[in-house]
Amino acid sequence: MSTVGYGDVSCQTVLGKMFLILFILVGLALFASSIPEIIDLIGTRSKYGGCYKNERGRRHIVVCGHITYESVSHFLKDFLHEDREDVDVEVVFLHRAEPDLEFEGLLKRQHTRVKYFQGSLMNAMDLERAKVHEADACLVLANKYCPDPDAEDAANIMRVISMKNYCEESRIIIQLMQYHNKAYLLNIPSWDWKQGDDVICLAELKLGFIAQSCLAPGFSTMMANLFAMRSFITSPDMAAWQNDYLQGTGCEMYTETLSPSFSGMTFSQASELCFVKLKLLLLAIEVKPIDGGDTKISINPQSSKMPANTVGFFIAQSAEEVKRAWFFCKGCHDDVKDENQIKKCKCKNLAKFRTGVRAIQLVGRAMANSKTNCPQQNMVNSAMPIPIVKKNMMSKEENGAKNMMNGRVKVPNNTVDDTYGGYHLSYEVKKLMPTNKSTAQQKPSKLEVGIADDQAKDFDFAKTEMKYDSTGMFHWTPARSIEDCILDRNQAAMTVLNGHVVVCLFADPDSPLIGLRNLVMPLRASNFHYHELKHVVIVGAVDYIRREWKTLQNLPKISVLNGSPLSRADLRAVNVNLCDMCVILSAKVPSNDDPTLADKEAILASLNIKAMTFDDTIGVLNQSSNAPDAMSPLGSPIVLHRKGSVYGSNVPMITELVNDSNVQFLDQDDDDDPDTELYLTQPFACGTAFAVSVLDSLMSTTYFNQNALTLIRSLITGGATPELEIILAEGAGLRGGYSTPDTLSHRDRCRVGQISLSDGPLATFGEGRKYQDLFVASLRNYGMLCIGLYRLRDAALTTVDATSKRYVITNPPFDFGLLPTDQVYVLLPFERKQSRFSFSETEV
């Protein structure tokens, strides 16, 4: 009406014309007043409110939970590492809030591989927008610095419930803060470990890594570098120790099917062949039980013949190197001297073997397609080495031919009873799930297997004392009151502790529980003899420790000193200079005002111990003395096995940090830049610092290959089993069990250790010999598998002084020269009887 038009319809009267003029003016005013509101509605529409469109048919994963610039940048740095450039997977983030400017910049830099959508995981519409039902996996990140870990875990478990309610078949990998919250996942009906659902418990793994460092200082650094994406470049401008360390950071874990030339060999023979001939370190193999149970990962097994199609776990520099284990042919390569020339040969037998493996894989894939309604996805052929942690070795040409799904590897075998959809189920894939107990009985001739030397005399149930838990994996003692284990300063001073573990714990009475059980249990593994267990002395506020005690009361050799880790008197009372390891932990909630101050107590405690000096005049008391005055308050003879450190800087120590940047304050003699990555700093290279942030890489690791997490748990937890986790989920603590042949056989497993080359049976190898000589001799004579070195930073030192520091060398080259001051990381087999050489002590 406000237009002129042709004039065919118009007002004829004056009144009509006046009304029309007034109507046009009022209408335009009303419309103009609505324009800002319309513009505001259009402008407030989020640019992150669309739907995910997979136009190129690529796989994608959905990442949710704690989504911030810091958490996302760390995740993407590992997941989208340059070594994984052939992995065609898009990352879709789903979060309630819009990204900030810094986050937006990160998204723009990675826009071809990363998408961001605003929405809630509790809303089915938002899950539809992110195409959760089509996702290869859903990853839930936890806030590692939250003030209430239990509330954080509850929120993430609710996210899992929402996603499982929307699509039961979704594969979910979740980070949890607290160990005891893992049990709540069982309440989700569609949670299925067999389908790849898994949980990464930060408290369990963090304290487990630290516990293994108590047995072998620096081991936490070695393991963290193995499962994280690391690119190293050595330089002549760097110090020699830095080049040695960086070369080790380039090592990764891989899986590969061993060629038929390995069939019938023992693990020791195969490991020696791999190291000497192929220049590979064979760490573990998948073992199929005779009774037809689930396959499990066996680390450095003893005296067992390897069947055909055995899958091995290797430590190597690249995926190309690991192919040698698949291509090796005894007939063609026996005389080959250059390991780089070991390539695919044209032997008929080997060709038939590879054809048979591929045929079994195709059958498995057909079974998978028949058992599921999910669309067929690509799966990696096990003829290619599958990187557990770092590198995806598939070229673009091979990506179409090799088939891959969720990073899980199809393992060929002769039977399919233990498979699900063609996949082998690893030993710990069924976490928290009941397992079918074998009906096969032990042969009478093997009754003595695993029975300790102190139990072989009498095996009467009525008279046998419970010494292990019901699973046989850990030492056990009847529950003790915390009051019976508390020492005051005078009692601690009278108890001459030696070779023990001192835990300096900072906590308020109401601080969140950190799960000290996860620190102590690996130190109480049953593959140690009782006298080999290191006494654990906790120095801290007893009001907090009392809350943790329910989970510690059944573990032997624990004492508590109600004091302060900053008190030198308390530290001297517990003989910190004679300890095998001093662990500095903090349970206090980080302040939101200044997160960089979260580690202030831990740093002060570390510097305080390093500044201390100790008397070197303490004599060694006679162990055979039975006089009353030769007994400590705990009832054990007062004995010193070795001379302690004179300088506090030589006390073995590992400090847990919340903020990575604070590592610069631990060592005053280093020149680390504040912006240096944690793994490149001197304290981390020396194994004296550990941060929970290094566990972020496990999310990517678990997605690409679930067996990696299984292997890491086996090494770190000391042997936790699904049955044990179900027992602990009840909240009543460990249950004692009678020592039966079945439970005692569980003691027969390897453990982490550290051997000195300065004395003992291996002392001759420290006099200018090569690492390969040490590797072969240790494996043949003692069944020990060498995996690395712990070397003095100043190689010219012949004695340990106040400035001596050691650093970690992972899997040194075969021609690496050894020094008398070196210490060797080994995987020790279980000793049923004490040998004349003791490998359980670590020389400082």
Side-chain angles (χ1 to χ4, degrees), residues 8-120:
D8 298 337
V9 179
S10 61
C11 296
Q12 301 298 323
T13 64
V14 175
L15 182 61
K17 293 178 180 179
M18 294 297 294
F19 172 78
L20 185 59
I21 293 172
L22 182 62
F23 181 80
I24 290 174
L25 293 175
V26 174
L28 289 175
L30 291 175
F31 179 75
S33 65
S34 301
I35 289 178
E37 185 177 353
I38 295 173
I39 294 175
D40 187 57
L41 290 174
I42 296 175
T44 55
R45 182 180 178 183
S46 175
K47 59 181 177 180
Y48 301 105
C51 296
Y52 174 71
K53 296 180 181 179
N54 193 355
E55 299 176 352
R56 291 175 290 176
R58 293 200 302 178
R59 293 180 299 148
H60 78 282
I61 64 171
V62 176
V63 182
C64 52
H66 181 63
I67 305 298
T68 63
Y69 171 76
E70 289 77 14
S71 64
V72 169
S73 59
H74 289 156
F75 173 80
L76 292 180
K77 184 176 181 180
D78 188 81
F79 192 89
L80 301 178
H81 195 273
E82 57 186 5
D83 292 334
R84 296 198 209 267
E85 60 184 1
D86 293 328
V87 178
D88 198 19
V89 181
E90 269 191 316
V91 181
V92 177
F93 291 99
L94 182 62
H95 190 56
R96 292 181 63 90
E98 287 190 2
D100 55 25
L101 292 178
E102 192 176 24
F103 199 169
E104 279 189 340
L106 175 64
L107 295 175
K108 289 178 181 179
R109 291 193 297 271
Q110 300 286 354
H111 71 279
T112 58
R113 295 185 286 181
V114 174
K115 306 295 180 185
Y116 188 97
F117 296 100
Q118 186 177 4
S120 171

Side-chain angles (χ1 to χ4, degrees), residues 239-446:
W241 76 269
Q242 290 177 315
N243 283 325
D244 292 340
Y245 169 72
L246 286 177
Q247 185 177 14
T249 63
C251 290
E252 306 106 19
M253 288 186 187
Y254 298 89
T255 57
E256 178 58 277
T257 303
L258 298 175
S259 74
S261 298
F262 290 91
S263 298
M265 291 185 181
T266 64
F267 178 85
S268 296
Q269 293 170 339
S271 184
E272 180 180 338
L273 174 62
C274 287
F275 191 82
V276 176
K277 188 78 175 179
L278 310 182
K279 302 301 183 288
L280 302 173
L281 176 55
L282 178 62
L283 193 68
I285 56 175
E286 276 195 357
V287 176
K288 168 73 174 175
I290 300 177
D291 56 16
D294 298 328
T295 57
K296 68 176 183 179
I297 296 177
S298 184
I299 305 170
N300 188 21
Q302 302 293 310
S303 304
S304 59
K305 302 288 185 180
M306 292 195 298
N309 306 339
T310 298
V311 175
F313 292 75
F314 296 89
I315 295 178
Q317 289 283 347
S318 69
E320 289 298 320
E321 293 182 1
V322 185
K323 291 181 183 178
R324 301 169 195 159
W326 168 254
F327 292 140
F328 177 72
C329 174
K330 185 174 178 60
C332 300
H333 301 138
D334 198 31
D335 297 328
V336 176
K337 302 299 182 183
D338 185 3
E339 66 275 4
N340 295 318
Q341 300 301 317
I342 299 178
K343 299 179 180 179
K344 184 177 180 180
C345 64
K346 299 182 179 180
C347 289
K348 294 182 179 179
N349 293 335
L350 204 57
K352 291 180 180 179
F353 169 75
R354 296 192 180 105
T355 303
V357 170
R358 293 189 181 97
I360 293 174
Q361 292 170 346
L362 291 175
V363 171
R365 185 170 60 184
M367 291 175 58
N369 294 336
S370 65
K371 290 185 179 182
T372 179
N373 296 324
C374 297
Q376 182 177 357
Q377 304 183 38
N378 289 334
M379 176 133 195
V380 172
N381 191 314
S382 66
M384 292 293 293
I386 308 302
I388 294 182
V389 178
K390 297 190 177 181
K391 301 183 179 180
N392 185 294
M393 65 297 158
M394 297 192 308
S395 64
K396 294 181 179 178
E397 294 79 15
E398 294 169 324
N399 196 29
K402 311 297 180 185
N403 296 319
M404 175 182 199
M405 179 189 212
N406 293 348
R408 290 171 286 185
V409 182
K410 248 188 241 184
V411 182
N413 58 81
N414 297 327
T415 62
V416 294
D417 294 337
D418 66 326
T419 60
Y420 186 93
Y423 301 104
H424 273 249
L425 302 180
S426 300
Y427 176 58
E428 294 193 14
V429 168
K430 294 182 171 183
K431 283 291 185 185
L432 301 178
M433 297 297 291
T435 57
N436 294 325
K437 294 187 178 294
S438 170
T439 57
Q441 300 295 327
Q442 293 281 347
K443 295 181 179 180
S445 60
K446 295 185 178 181

